[in-house]
Amino acid sequence: MQIEPKQSSVKGPAPMFTGDVYYDVIAAPKPEPSRMRVNSVHFCPGARTAWHCHAVGQTLYVTEGVGLVQARDGDVIEIRPGQTVYTPPGEWHWHGATPTDFMTHLAMWEAQENGEPETTWGEQVTETDYHRP
Ligand code: MN
């Protein structure tokens, strides 16, 4: 058993996030065959990820606040605490807070067996897309 020290919160880097986002690493890569990764991600109002997709998919679990999520060519959907969002492998999407609310979610995804990138990042979400009704 390992009791792991609390790690400092990490600021979400600018190319991958818009606005103020901090995340806490809950589960980082462990020895094979484990590939589990879990972060608790905190979005300030108006903050969101850039467009991206996950090689092995991703599960989000909203724990606080009110958030938004959108798949490419899909509607912007409001998400609330207790809801789970699953994005399948390769589906482009973004997630974040609403313009007026904080939002925290657990992000759960897996590394790839071959060490290839887990997440492919694209362009930032425009104000037009973010505010689309
Ligand atoms: Mn994602």
Side-chain angles (χ1 to χ4, degrees), residues 52 54 58 60 87 93 95:
H52 64 283
H54 306 284
Q58 183 178 57
L60 305 175
T87 58
H93 66 281
H95 28 109

Side-chain angles (χ1 to χ4, degrees), residues 17-18 46-51 68 70 72 76 94 99 122-132:
F17 296 92
T18 299
R48 65 268 189 180
T49 69
W51 287 98
L68 300 172
Q70 184 185 23
R72 190 77 86 184
V76 177
W94 61 268
E123 74 279 16
Q124 293 199 337
V125 177
T126 64
E127 290 298 311
T128 305
D129 278 346
Y130 180 66
H131 291 284
R132 184 163 293 167

Side-chain angles (χ1 to χ4, degrees), residues 6 21 23-24 31 38 44-45 53-54 57-58 62 78 81 87 95 98 119 122 128 130-132:
K6 170 72 177 73
V21 178
Y23 61 89
D24 293 303
V38 183
C44 286
C53 63
H54 306 284
Q58 183 178 57
V62 183
E78 188 176 282
T87 58
H95 28 109
T98 70
T119 303
T128 305
Y130 180 66
H131 291 284
R132 184 163 293 167

